[in-house]
Amino acid sequence: MSVITNRPKGTQDVLPSEVYKWQTVERCAAETAECFGFKEMRFPTFENTALFKRSVGDTTDVVQKEMYSVAAKSPANGKDPDDFTLRPEGTAGAARAAIENGLLKEALPQKVYYMISCFRHEKPQAGRLREFHQFGAEMYGSADASADAEVISLAKSLLDRLGLENVELFINSIGCPKCRAEYHKALKEYFSERKDELCPTCLERLERNPMRILDCKSPICQGIAKGAPVILDFLCEECSAHFEKLKTLLDDMGIKFSVDPKIVRGLDYYTKTVFEFITNDIGAQGTVCGGGRYDGLIEQLGGDPLPALGFAMGLERIIMTMENAGVEFVPARKCDLYIASMGEAAQRKAAVLTNILRAEGFYVEADTMGRGIKPQMKYANKIGATFTIVLGDNELEAGKAKLKNMETGEQVDISLGDSFIDEFSNNLIAEMFKAEEG
Ligand code: ATP
Ligand code: MG
């Protein structure tokens, strides 16, 4: 089939036959977040470009190479058009919304979650898209390591509930600006000695933001980075105590983790704790969740100074991992009843009965194609209807019809009068019990 244009590279269509997988994850994420006291927040798909430059960081890949920035047509008043960017991630927009709406002046901590689409101009490959989706959670107001433990525990709980118990947790601390000054010096010294081998981007990073080199995807830079000094050796007393407390709390909760001193994360706003959940099941793009603390961001964006932290999970990668692990998704709802009809009077009656049952919450279908009985029944079969009713002149006259169980072929009488809803729901409940026992 040729359409006038195909979907843009790096985007995905989710068809009705697949959407139950997304719904499984989205519902589970919302339910888990709510158990932890996180409330949903919604905010715009695009923001002023300055927001991302300020928060994500000028020297990051995201800002330097991956942002989709758009300008509206020049306004009639002769002013420069606004410069907008499709959000590459959720933390900046969520923080902006929290500050702008006074959320951070309310009782602390404030805990929010979101389910959003994000946009990054990257080379599309398995698990790496240009439009992708994140479940994110952010917690504002607590500087204590117990908040870090709670946020990590939320991510872990969700992965467990989804049946992904083999996803591994890696944690690190990247310290505060105080300890990082010393560390930057050490890194600069180390990488300067091997300047000739670094990629051009890393050469630039060496001057402006040497920690970014540790996150470079080039195998040569990665090789060099292997021997680089590690931040954990440079932590100040406060950052070090914070990290120790987090490890104790995770141990107490039985959350397994490994310390990986190489995790620096791709966004500039992180301080102290950073973490990633990684799976080996889906190839190279195995990071299903990344997060950490960002104690300086709120102030940097114009709010009163306030510690904060959060994470984001890539939903495409989560679903891929679930598929590969063979874990079950909550199946799509099955059609409870198909009402087939012969002739106009019967079609009208079918529409009325369908409406009555739908109003009660049942999933009911009737013919809207003007087809004969045979194709109607074929369709009922195809959509997997649990029961069918065939309505014709005889049924209308008698005020009753046969309710057929499509799996067993069993038929029982059902009144089309006042007791229709009760009789139908009794049959459906009995069937559901049987299905559960079987
Ligand atoms: P990566 O190292 O894989 O590029 P990142 O550090 O850029 O990830 P974050 O900005 O921390 O990722 O985003 C959080 C999560 O969002 C990632 O762990 C991943 O699961 C998901 N994610 C990020 N970029 C993409 C993308 N282009 N396509 C699909 N999922 C993505
Ligand atoms: Mg990335």
Side-chain angles (χ1 to χ4, degrees):
M1 178 71 79
S2 68
V3 284
I4 58 157
T5 169
N6 294 330
R7 66 169 180 270
K9 220 166 124 182
T11 64
Q12 266 181 349
D13 302 313
V14 180
L15 299 181
S17 57
E18 288 284 304
V19 80
Y20 69 98
K21 296 180 180 173
W22 283 84
Q23 290 169 339
T24 300
V25 175
E26 286 162 0
R27 285 181 191 144
C28 190
E31 278 167 22
T32 311
E34 275 155 27
C35 287
F36 280 74
F38 286 67
K39 305 264 188 294
E40 188 180 358
M41 185 160 80
R42 300 186 185 196
F43 43 94
T45 307
F46 62 91
E47 298 274 355
N48 285 305
T49 300
L51 177 71
F52 300 115
K53 285 197 174 154
R54 255 329 257 288
S55 53
V56 174
D58 260 343
T59 54
T60 59
D61 274 1
V62 171
V63 168
Q64 287 189 336
K65 305 184 205 160
E66 298 171 3
M67 291 205 309
Y68 284 99
S69 295
V70 290
K73 292 219 169 81
S74 275
N77 60 14
K79 281 192 181 160
D80 283 341
D82 293 325
D83 181 9
F84 296 121
T85 291
L86 299 179
R87 62 184 167 211
E89 54 101 57
T91 299
R96 197 266 313 133
I99 299 167
E100 189 170 337
N101 295 286
L103 205 64
L104 308 181
K105 303 237 188 282
E106 291 175 24
L108 297 175
Q110 284 290 323
K111 305 196 264 189
V112 301
Y113 75 88
Y114 48 82
M115 219 85 67
I116 60 171
S117 50
C118 299
F119 307 85
R120 296 185 193 178
H121 187 81
E122 302 197 73
K123 194 166 156 239
Q125 47 197 293
R128 193 174 290 290
L129 291 128
R130 290 183 173 173
E131 180 184 21
F132 62 99
H133 296 80
Q134 285 188 341
F135 163 68
E138 313 287 351
M139 182 164 174
Y140 306 109
S142 169
D144 193 69
S146 55
D148 307 46
E150 181 164 298
V151 163
I152 290 174
S153 164
L154 165 57
K156 172 68 179 156
S157 284
L158 175 54
L159 294 170
D160 284 353
R161 283 203 202 189
L162 291 172
L164 298 178
E165 274 142 30
N166 290 330
V167 179
E168 283 181 77
L169 167 64
F170 296 89
I171 64 171
N172 189 24
S173 173
I174 56 171
C176 61
K178 235 180 357 185
C179 23
R180 230 177 289 162
E182 280 302 304
Y183 182 54
H184 278 181
K185 244 195 262 164
L187 275 184
K188 265 190 187 167
E189 238 164 67
Y190 174 83
F191 285 116
S192 294
E193 277 167 27
R194 308 190 56 178
K195 234 174 169 169
D196 309 341
E197 297 162 70
L198 291 177
C199 76
T201 323
C202 280
L203 262 185
E204 211 177 293
R205 289 171 173 147
L206 184 57
E207 286 317 311
R208 298 178 62 194
N209 195 347
M211 245 168 85
R212 286 268 67 80
I213 303 176
L214 303 176
D215 213 24
C216 182
K217 301 264 182 321
S218 131
I220 297 173
C221 298
Q222 273 180 8
I224 302 172
K226 275 206 179 97
V230 296
I231 177 80
L232 288 179
D233 295 333
F234 292 80
L235 292 188
C236 68
E237 218 168 285
E238 189 200 323
C239 289
S240 181
H242 186 96
F243 195 48
E244 289 310 310
K245 181 167 178 187
L246 170 62
K247 288 193 280 185
T248 307
L249 289 169
L250 292 177
D251 279 336
D252 288 349
M253 290 193 282
I255 297 178
K256 290 204 185 76
F257 63 89
S258 312
V259 174
D260 179 355
K262 283 284 173 327
I263 300 180
V264 292
R265 312 281 314 117
L267 315 170
D268 266 356
Y269 46 61
Y270 288 112
T271 52
K272 291 185 176 157
T273 312
V274 287
F275 60 91
E276 290 182 347
F277 283 90
I278 301 180
T279 170
N280 292 317
D281 289 349
I282 55 170
Q285 321 308 328
T287 309
V288 295
C289 175
R293 185 169 269 287
Y294 49 89
D295 287 345
L297 183 65
I298 301 296
E299 185 180 15
Q300 204 179 314
L301 294 180
D304 294 335
L306 195 72
L309 69 163
F311 68 76
M313 236 177 229
L315 298 185
E316 282 81 3
R317 293 184 195 177
I318 292 282
I319 290 171
M320 276 167 72
T321 313
M322 290 171 73
E323 286 171 340
N324 288 2
V327 299
E328 292 206 4
F329 294 90
V330 179
R333 189 169 171 189
K334 253 181 83 178
C335 177
D336 297 323
L337 173 67
Y338 185 92
I339 307 181
S341 58
M342 272 180 297
E344 204 183 309
Q347 193 190 31
R348 285 174 57 190
K349 181 72 175 173
V352 170
L353 295 176
T354 301
N355 232 9
I356 291 175
L357 285 180
R358 284 177 176 165
E360 295 294 318
F362 296 100
Y363 171 5
V364 187
E365 295 270 19
D367 178 55
T368 53
M369 300 284 290
R371 287 192 283 226
I373 281 293
K374 238 182 151 178
Q376 285 187 51
M377 294 307 282
K378 208 169 146 191
Y379 183 75
N381 235 325
K382 196 159 195 173
I383 62 173
T386 306
F387 289 101
T388 54
I389 289 175
V390 177
L391 292 184
D393 290 342
N394 291 345
E395 283 76 13
L396 295 194
E397 212 164 287
K400 61 181 187 179
K402 295 278 184 218
L403 179 71
K404 182 177 176 186
N405 182 319
M406 291 296 277
E407 196 162 313
T408 61
E410 213 180 308
Q411 302 201 36
V412 294
D413 282 337
I414 183 164
S415 158
L416 303 178
D418 289 344
S419 59
F420 177 67
I421 296 177
D422 285 344
E423 288 184 34
F424 177 69
S425 81
N426 286 341
N427 276 284
L428 187 68
I429 289 167
E431 175 59 25
M432 276 157 46
F433 271 118
K434 259 196 283 168
E436 226 163 72
E437 280 165 16

